[in-house]
Amino acid sequence: MQQVSRRRLDPFNLLVPAEGSMFFGRQNELERLQHEDATSFAVAGPGRIGKTSLMTRYRALTLRDGRMSSQFRISFFDCDPAPANSVSRFLAMHIASSRRSAEMTDAGLLNFVKYQSNALGAPLDLLLDEVDLVCESEAFKALGAAAREGYCRLVLFGKGVLLKTILSESSLLDCRMQLLHLGPLDAGSARKLILLPLRDLGFRIAGQEEFLERVLSLTGRLPYLLQFYGQKLAQLALEEQTDTISLQHVETLHADFATAQYFVKPLNELRDAQTRLVGLSLLKEYRREYSIPAVQEIYERVAGTRLSHTRTSEICNDLVINNVLAWQGPSAFRIANEGLYRYAHDMGYLTNALEDSKKEAGSNN
Ligand SMILES: Nc1ncnc2c1ncn2[C@@H]1O[C@H](COP(=O)(O)OP(=O)(O)OP(=O)(O)O)[C@@H](O)[C@H]1O
Ligand SMILES: [Mg+2]
């Protein structure tokens, strides 16, 4: 009976953005979004790092402060950017559904935002999610102009294209945007994300400090991996009918095929041959931290050719967006999580994949 209800109460969830008491951390980002309310932000980070969760939390805080009326939350996931004016129309229809909005053009968008802002008596606070396919459009150029003139504040959430757009000097957005790199959770929040839900489910953790150190290192404090691990550990303890979770359960997960697959998935998803070769080479060398020159040196040793500083930096950012590396300060990187190395290594994946990847990158040169 207790087991059935515990399974049903399992608070870990990988499929929906974290909300309420299952949301942890991101204090710095939330404070900036709240207090620098005239500044536009680009929140760029890898898949599943918690972009939509952060947006949802920020919106909940705005709701609490009663400042909602000029705030709009729009996901471009379902927007087809190909037809002319489609992005402007999509945006306008979500802000104010009307005949005028249904006929919106890129050329008319700036005036539309001005009109809406005047009508509401405040700049629009536009929280725009999944912007990778649309952030280089004419519509976003108009939004950039509207932000520059103070008619809206933009908070854009996206992955690699958003990052490249903001970093490129010829950015179409052309308004002063602060870039927020969304990375792993801070250690305190990562501990809570594992510990509090397990405690709420009635589990005791044996050897807590050692256990937490191991889990934080294996997951790299990535929130979706922490949720995945929490869920797996709870399931394992339920199967064993024990109330105590320990390091032993973490070790048991090492032999779990589905867990291994989940951890190495980012490697399988790297499409570009050179990026894949860099990722696998760095993983093989497993270090605490990599600077750009260190990455250049490792690649040269493996592939026999040297990459430029710019190309290396581009590849490293791509590896972050694909959850193989994580940002560690302004120009340094680390392997996204120890689990990626452990599983790739223990499955014998690393050596085989590196050889295949060398051949593939060589034949593309
Ligand atoms: N701050 C957080 N606290 C707790 N869990 C989190 C947090 N952020 C993310 N998660 C976990 O990670 C998962 C993915 O989060 P979310 O959907 O917000 O990421 P995303 O970056 O928007 O992903 P995508 O790139 O697919 O849009 C969530 O289901 C949740 O399990
Ligand atoms: Mg999302």
Side-chain angles (χ1 to χ4, degrees):
M1 183 62 198
Q2 193 195 12
Q3 298 225 359
V4 172
S5 60
R6 266 194 197 170
R7 270 190 202 282
R8 204 175 290 147
L9 289 173
D10 177 4
F12 295 108
N13 197 326
L14 303 159
L15 304 176
V16 293
E19 287 189 51
S21 63
M22 279 305 283
F23 179 94
F24 293 90
R26 307 295 190 211
Q27 274 322 313
N28 182 35
E29 288 84 357
L30 286 166
E31 272 169 29
R32 292 200 65 188
L33 291 179
Q34 279 185 292
H35 300 307
E36 297 176 38
D37 60 359
T39 307
S40 287
F41 289 95
V43 185
R48 325 221 59 207
I49 196 70
K51 301 177 292 296
T52 306
S53 300
L54 174 63
M55 178 201 264
T56 309
R57 183 60 153 208
Y58 170 58
R59 187 162 167 80
L61 293 175
T62 321
L63 181 63
R64 196 192 60 188
D65 297 347
R67 294 190 292 122
M68 281 285 274
S69 57
S70 58
Q71 189 178 77
F72 297 89
R73 171 192 165 135
I74 302 166
S75 166
F76 285 88
F77 187 78
D78 291 323
C79 175
D80 176 2
N85 302 309
S86 62
V87 178
S88 291
R89 251 191 328 264
F90 188 89
L91 191 82
M93 285 300 282
H94 278 82
I95 293 175
S97 170
S98 67
R99 229 180 52 214
R100 186 179 167 213
S101 294
E103 289 164 7
M104 187 55 57
T105 60
D106 295 338
L109 191 62
L110 175 58
N111 270 335
F112 170 81
V113 174
K114 273 187 197 173
Y115 175 85
Q116 293 297 332
S117 160
N118 288 335
L120 289 166
L124 308 185
D125 196 18
L126 298 179
L127 313 182
L128 308 181
D129 202 4
E130 304 270 359
V131 301
D132 269 37
L133 290 182
V134 294
C135 64
E136 293 178 309
S137 63
E138 285 299 313
F140 271 60
K141 195 173 175 180
L143 286 181
R148 220 170 35 240
E149 293 181 34
Y151 294 108
C152 67
R153 182 273 274 269
L154 303 172
V155 188
L156 311 182
F157 296 81
K159 300 183 211 170
V161 183
L162 176 63
L163 183 66
K164 280 183 196 145
T165 306
I166 299 301
L167 293 178
S168 82
E169 279 171 22
S170 59
S171 168
L172 262 179
L173 277 159
D174 203 21
C175 68
R176 250 177 254 127
M177 275 227 163
Q178 294 281 327
L179 176 61
L180 290 183
H181 284 114
L182 209 56
L185 294 183
D186 64 276
S189 306
R191 287 166 68 98
K192 286 186 198 150
L193 171 50
I194 279 288
L195 219 49
L196 300 187
L198 288 179
R199 272 200 202 147
D200 284 350
L201 286 172
F203 292 112
R204 192 181 80 81
I205 311 292
Q208 186 172 297
E209 283 311 305
E210 215 185 334
F211 167 88
L212 283 174
E213 202 180 307
R214 196 81 200 99
V215 173
L216 263 53
S217 170
L218 283 168
T219 57
R221 293 180 270 114
L222 295 174
Y224 75 99
L225 287 180
L226 286 160
Q227 296 251 9
F228 176 84
Y229 236 79
Q231 192 166 57
K232 281 278 180 187
L233 289 167
Q235 281 166 0
L236 213 55
L238 284 174
E239 276 160 24
E240 288 180 10
Q241 304 196 348
T242 175
D243 283 339
T244 306
I245 295 180
S246 70
L247 214 49
Q248 189 53 48
H249 292 104
V250 177
E251 292 309 322
T252 307
L253 282 183
H254 272 307
D256 182 51
F257 184 71
T259 305
Q261 291 298 322
Y262 195 73
F263 269 80
V264 299
K265 209 163 132 218
L267 292 175
N268 293 327
E269 287 172 353
L270 295 175
R271 295 284 161 252
D272 175 66
Q274 212 168 39
T275 307
R276 194 170 151 75
L277 185 54
V278 173
L280 291 166
S281 308
L282 298 185
L283 209 52
K284 181 94 177 155
E285 285 254 346
Y286 200 71
R287 293 186 192 171
R288 282 187 82 80
E289 191 176 298
Y290 305 86
S291 61
I292 297 289
V295 177
Q296 286 176 297
E297 178 224 301
I298 293 172
Y299 183 82
E300 191 170 4
R301 206 169 344 110
V302 173
T305 53
R306 193 167 176 81
L307 295 172
S308 70
H309 192 281
T310 313
R311 175 71 182 136
T312 311
S313 156
E314 198 179 278
I315 289 180
C316 288
N317 277 333
D318 278 348
L319 288 168
V320 171
I321 295 298
N322 285 286
N323 280 312
V324 173
L325 295 181
W327 286 303
Q328 176 111 306
S331 59
F333 301 85
R334 66 165 167 82
I335 299 296
N337 54 85
E338 195 195 321
L340 179 64
Y341 171 75
R342 278 286 300 263
Y343 286 110
H345 185 268
D346 295 356
M347 285 164 79
Y349 178 102
L350 213 45
T351 317
N352 293 339
L354 190 60
E355 284 313 311
D356 291 349
S357 175
K358 259 196 234 176
K359 283 182 209 142
E360 196 190 348
S363 63
N364 286 353
N365 277 342

